[in-house]
Amino acid sequence: MSKRSDQGLERKPWKLLLWTALAGLVFGLIGFGDIFEDWLRVARNSFHMHQASRQIVFVAIDDKALHEIGNWPWQRKIDAQLTDRLTALGAKRIFFDINFSFPSSDRRQDEAFASALDRSGRVTLAARARTGLQGTVINDGPLPMFTRHASVGLISVQYNYQNAAWHLPYALKMGGKLVPSLASAIAGVGGPDGQSFPVDYSIQPSTIPQYSAADVLTGKISAKILAGRDVVVGTATDAVGDQVFVPGYGRGFGSQVHIIGAETLKQGRPLDLGWLPAFVVGLAAAAAMLLRRRLAERWAISTSTFAFLLVAPGFMEARLIFANVTPGLFVLLTVASALGWRRYRTRGLVNQVSNLPNLNALRANRQGRSQALVAARILNYEEIVAALPPNGERHLIDQIVSRLNVGSPGRVLYQGDGGIFAWFEDPRQPFGNHLEALYALFRNPARVAGLSMDLTIAFGVEVGSGRSIHNRLASALVAAEEAAHDGLKWKYHDPETLENASWKLSMLSQLDEAIDRGEVWVAYQPKLDLASRRIVGAEALARWTHPEKGPIAASEFVAAAEQHNRIGKLTDFVLEKAVGAAAEINRRGVDFEMAVNLSARLLADKGFTLRLSALLARHGLAPGHLTLELTETAALTGSGEGLDMITRLRDLGVNIAIDDYGTGLSTLDYLKKIPANEIKIDQSFVKGIVDNRSDRLMVQSTIGLAHSLGRKVVAEGVEHRDILDLLIEMSCDVAQGFAIGRPMSLESLTRRVSSERKRTAA
Ligand code: C2E
Ligand code: MG
Ligand code: MG
C-alpha cells in the first residue's frame, strides 16, 4: 500500500469492505439475489441458444388427444394401447410422466395396462418423492402391480421462489434403493443421493419433437419417427394441470422440463460452482480497488470485473459450468459506489494534482486541535512549476513529499496551492532540530524531467493556542513567510504580531465610530515661508486619541483605512475642520494657506470636486487658500482618471502638492505631467542635508528642477536650526518641521499666528 493511500480520508473503506463482505456472505447463503440471478442467466442463455437432440420425443396428451380419445383421466386400457403402439413403433424406451398411483374402478383396466407393460419391457413410470420425518419416501408411486413390470423415475422438481423449475435431482435414496429422476433415467446419467443439477435452458423447449398421443393411437405416426428414440408421455393441456414456469420461456409443462433436464445430462455432467467463486472474485476486485488511489485504475478494475462477472458465466454455461454471480456483484458494486460517493464527497478535500488531502481537510481535522501545526512554504514554487513540462508538477510534489517525510514516514501531509504543505506535530517534542534537518535536505536541488531546480523553503510553527485550526494555519503560514523574510530556517508564530494584527483589524472597524465619538481630531503643523520668515500656512494632520490605547500614529490608522477603503469619512472630517480653520484665520486678515492630505483613492471619487467646492463656499474660503497633498506614489499610480481629477481640482483654483517627493519613482516626465504647483521634499532627504553630501545634492537639484518648472518647494522634516539655515541658502521656499513647530491644536496655531502678526506689526 502506498504511503499516501492510507492517509486520513481513506482509512474507513477497509471497514466498508469488511461489512460488505459480510453482507455479501449472508446474501449468498440465503439466496437473496436469486431473482436477479435468474434474470441474468436467462439473458445469458439467449446468447448460446441451441436445439434439443431430437432423440427424446414428447408424446403429448394434449387438447386434441382429450378431444379425440376422451376425457382425462383415461381408462388404463388406453394407456395399455398407447404402450403397445409405441412399442410397436420401435420406441427405444417409454417414460410415462403420469400418475399411476391409484387403482381404476374396473380392475380389468389395470390388468390390461400391467400386461402391456410386461409386453413392452421398456417402460418407466413416474413417482414423486416426499421428504419427511422418515426420510425420503415415494409419494404417488405407481401401483405395485405396475412396478412389477416397469421401472420408476422421479418427477420431483426443485422450484424456486417464483415456481420456476431450475434444478432437478439425479436420484434419491428410498428404502435403501437409489431411485433415479426421470431425466437422469432418460439420459442414463446417474448421480449420488440428493444431489441435483441445473437444467440448461439454453436448449430451446420448442425444438423437442412433440406429437399428439391421439395421432399415435390413431396410427398417424410412422415408425420412422419414433424408432430408436426415447419417448416421454405426459400431459400438455391446461385441462389437466402439470404446468410449470420454464425460465426464459414462460408457461410450460412438466414433461418438457424433464426432457430438457435429460438433454442437459446428455450434453455432459453439469458442474455447479455455486456463488462462492464469483463472490471471491468480487471481493478481490473490491480490495484491489481500495489499494489503488488513481480514479482511472479503480474504474478499470471495477468495470472489467463487473463485465467479467456478467459475461464469463455465459461461456462457462455453454460448457455446463454454472455459477451464481449476484453476491460477487453485490460486493463489487457496493464498494465501487461507496468509493465513488466518498470521492464525490471528498472532492473538495483533496489536492487534485497530488491526491494529498488539502488544507480544507486539515482545517476539518479535529484531532489537530491539541497538536502543534507546522507549515512549510516553497517560496519559489510557482516559478519552478512554470518552467516544468506538463505532468512535471506531480513529480516535483513527489520529491517534496518524500523529503518532508524523512524522519517521520507515517505522517499525514496536507497540501495547499502554490507550494504550501502542512502537518501536525506533537507539541511536546522539540522539533526545531527536525525542521533544520529538513531545511538542509532541501538545499539539494530537485530533479524533474532532467532539470535541476533549487527549492527555497521556510517553515512556520504554531504551537497550539486553542484557536481554530483555520486561524492557526494562517498564523503558521505568516510565521513561515516571516522566517523567509528574516532569512531564518523556521520561526514560531509570534502571538504578539497576532495581537497587533487583530488590533489593526478592530481599529479599522472602530475608526468610523471614533470620528463620531470625537476621539479623532486635527492637529496643525505650521509652515514657514523662508523669504519672509513668516508662518504662511499649516498642514492638517489627523490624530486619534484612543480612550485605552492613547494616541495612535496617523501613519498607522491612515494606511489601514486606505487599504480597506475606509478613508473617505476621515478625509471629509479633516477637510471640514481644516477648511473651517483656514477660513477663520483668513478672516482675521492673515493670508493663510491650509494643506490637507488626500488619499489617492479619492481621486477616483467623481463627486469629490463638487463636494469640495461646496465645502469651500460654505466656509467662504478662497480655493487658492487650500492645498491638497498627494503622495508621490498615489499620484503616480493614478491612471488618466486620476490626472483628470487633479486637473479639475487645479481648475477649481485649489493648489496641489506632491507629498513625500523622492521616495517614489518620479521621473522628469512625471513631474512635468502632474499639474502640481508645489513639491514637498520628503523628510528622509531633508534630515540628512547637513551631514550627507548626496542628500544635500538631491535636495539642491530638486529645488533647482522645481523652480525651473515654476513649482514651489517645501521641505519637510526640518528638525534643527542648521537644516533651516542650509535650506535658506539653497533658496528653498517653505519649511515644515519640528524646528518650526510640532503639530498642534488649532488654538495653539491661531495663538502663534496672531502673536507673530503682532510682533511684525510692532
Ligand atoms: P505627511 O503628509 O508627510 O505628514 C508629515 C508627517 O511628518 C507627520 O506625521 C508629521 O507629524 C511628521 N513630521 C513633521 N515634521 C517632522 C519633523 O521635523 N521630524 C519628524 N520626524 N517628523 C515630522 P503624521 O502626523 O504621523 O502623519 C503621517 C502621515 O499620515 C502623513 O505624512 C500623511 O501622509 C498621513 N496623514 C496624516 N493625516 C492625514 C489625513 O487626514 N488624511 C490622509 N489621507 N493622510 C493623512
Ligand atoms: Mg502631508
Ligand atoms: Mg510628507
Side-chain angles (χ1 to χ4, degrees), residues 525 539-543 553-555 558 562 567 570-571 574 596-599 629 631 659-660 680 683 687 716-719 736-739 743:
Q525 188 173 33
E539 178 179 4
L541 293 163
R543 290 290 177 266
S555 49
V558 166
E562 266 184 340
I567 195 76
L570 179 72
T571 309
V574 175
V596 174
N597 293 285
L598 191 69
S599 167
E629 296 190 3
T631 55
D659 204 350
D660 302 344
K680 288 188 86 174
Q683 42 181 290
K687 278 178 195 163
E716 300 186 82
V718 182
E719 291 190 353
Q736 179 186 344
F738 296 167

Side-chain angles (χ1 to χ4, degrees), residues 85-361:
R85 193 79 208 125
L86 291 169
T87 310
L89 288 169
K92 197 167 135 205
R93 287 175 301 171
I94 303 161
F95 297 87
F96 273 96
D97 179 15
I98 286 167
N99 185 353
F100 288 112
S101 62
F102 53 93
S104 306
S105 48
D106 180 357
R107 187 173 164 78
R108 276 172 308 174
Q109 298 268 351
D110 291 342
E111 277 163 1
F113 184 52
S115 56
L117 293 176
D118 188 26
R119 274 195 298 282
S120 173
R122 60 189 80 169
V123 177
T124 302
L125 300 178
R128 249 176 245 281
R130 191 179 46 135
T131 306
L133 287 174
Q134 301 87 3
T136 307
V137 292
I138 294 256
N139 201 29
D140 290 344
L143 298 175
M145 65 183 296
F146 300 147
T147 51
R148 228 169 280 138
H149 311 290
S151 313
V152 173
L154 296 171
I155 54 168
S156 304
V157 174
Q158 291 179 8
Y159 296 102
N160 74 351
Y161 60 95
Q162 58 170 171
N163 231 23
W166 275 111
H167 283 80
L168 290 174
Y170 281 105
L172 293 173
K173 196 170 222 152
M174 281 178 282
K177 229 180 90 191
L178 205 56
V179 183
S181 68
L182 203 63
S184 180
I186 299 170
V189 177
D193 172 39
Q195 204 183 73
S196 63
F197 63 91
V199 181
D200 178 10
Y201 284 111
S202 64
I203 303 166
Q204 288 167 283
S206 59
T207 61
I208 300 169
Q210 181 176 333
Y211 304 98
S212 172
D215 293 340
V216 176
L217 287 167
T218 52
K220 287 191 189 117
I221 301 291
S222 69
K224 213 166 63 203
I225 292 169
L226 294 183
R229 304 216 157 97
D230 286 323
V231 172
V232 175
V233 180
T235 54
T237 164
D238 293 345
V240 176
D242 199 21
Q243 284 110 328
V244 287
F245 178 74
V246 183
Y249 305 95
R251 221 157 50 94
F253 299 102
S255 301
Q256 290 172 314
V257 172
H258 300 302
I259 293 171
I260 300 284
E263 292 275 1
T264 305
L265 292 180
K266 272 166 162 282
Q267 297 177 117
R269 195 181 278 272
L271 179 62
D272 193 351
L273 298 177
W275 54 272
L276 264 176
F279 175 74
V280 170
V281 169
L283 201 62
M289 281 169 67
L290 288 176
L291 286 170
R292 304 293 148 143
R293 287 281 309 185
R294 308 272 300 276
L295 184 64
E297 287 176 87
R298 286 181 169 179
W299 183 245
I301 293 171
S302 64
T303 45
S304 59
T305 312
F306 190 72
F308 173 78
L309 288 180
L310 281 187
V311 174
F315 289 96
M316 287 157 57
E317 277 154 6
R319 278 159 198 79
L320 288 186
I321 302 167
F322 294 83
N324 285 2
V325 293
T326 43
L329 284 177
F330 168 77
V331 172
L332 184 69
L333 283 180
T334 309
V335 172
S337 34
L339 283 181
W341 170 240
R342 214 167 279 256
R343 188 165 189 102
Y344 170 77
R345 261 192 352 183
T346 58
R347 225 173 8 176
L349 296 177
V350 178
N351 182 294
Q352 294 302 311
V353 182
S354 64
N355 270 335
L356 285 174
N358 65 16
L359 299 183
N360 288 336

Side-chain angles (χ1 to χ4, degrees), residues 470-718:
H470 194 99
N471 290 341
R472 295 180 51 207
L473 174 65
S475 296
L477 284 168
V478 167
E481 198 97 302
E482 285 174 358
H485 185 264
D486 303 348
L488 298 170
K489 293 167 186 156
W490 65 282
K491 201 173 166 177
Y492 278 117
H493 155 70
D494 176 5
E496 214 157 276
T497 43
L498 178 79
E499 212 164 85
N500 272 332
S502 65
W503 153 238
K504 260 184 197 154
L505 287 175
S506 74
M507 171 178 74
L508 258 184
S509 60
Q510 290 176 33
L511 180 60
D512 288 355
E513 288 170 37
I515 293 172
D516 296 336
R517 278 199 302 261
E519 287 165 27
V520 175
W521 55 282
V522 182
Y524 301 89
Q525 188 173 33
K527 280 175 162 183
L528 184 76
D529 181 82
L530 294 182
S532 64
R533 311 287 160 92
R534 282 164 66 165
I535 304 292
V536 289
E539 178 179 4
L541 293 163
R543 290 290 177 266
W544 181 0
T545 313
H546 192 275
E548 288 154 28
K549 296 239 163 197
I552 301 167
S555 49
E556 210 172 289
F557 65 86
V558 166
E562 266 184 340
Q563 277 163 29
H564 294 84
N565 257 336
R566 299 282 265 279
I567 195 76
K569 184 162 179 174
L570 179 72
T571 309
D572 287 349
F573 174 78
V574 175
L575 269 174
E576 177 75 37
K577 295 278 177 201
V579 168
E584 173 71 33
I585 298 172
N586 274 288
R587 264 198 293 278
R588 298 183 184 189
V590 182
D591 196 11
F592 194 87
E593 200 184 298
M594 185 61 82
V596 174
N597 293 285
L598 191 69
S599 167
R601 291 198 176 262
L602 291 170
L603 290 181
D605 180 353
K606 294 248 158 35
F608 181 69
T609 18
L610 221 64
R611 289 208 307 274
L612 186 65
S613 53
L615 177 74
L616 291 170
R618 185 146 47 84
H619 288 282
L621 183 72
H625 284 140
L626 179 68
T627 301
L628 293 175
E629 296 190 3
L630 287 166
T631 55
E632 195 187 16
T633 39
L636 253 182
T637 47
S639 48
E641 217 176 63
L643 260 183
D644 284 354
M645 171 73 102
I646 296 172
T647 313
R648 255 181 288 144
L649 289 168
R650 284 291 288 130
D651 292 347
L652 203 71
V654 170
N655 303 304
I656 298 290
I658 297 175
D659 204 350
D660 302 344
Y661 181 82
T663 52
L665 303 155
S666 41
T667 59
L668 279 175
D669 181 49
Y670 160 82
L671 251 192
K672 231 172 71 192
K673 241 196 318 202
I674 303 272
N677 37 5
E678 188 180 305
I679 287 169
K680 288 188 86 174
I681 304 178
D682 191 69
Q683 42 181 290
S684 57
F685 302 99
V686 175
K687 278 178 195 163
I689 55 169
V690 177
D691 309 311
N692 188 310
R693 207 176 93 87
S694 61
D695 282 353
R696 195 161 55 239
L697 275 176
M698 158 78 192
V699 171
Q700 179 74 77
S701 60
T702 304
I703 293 170
L705 183 69
H707 283 165
S708 69
L709 287 167
R711 316 265 153 102
K712 193 162 87 181
V713 182
V714 180
E716 300 186 82
V718 182

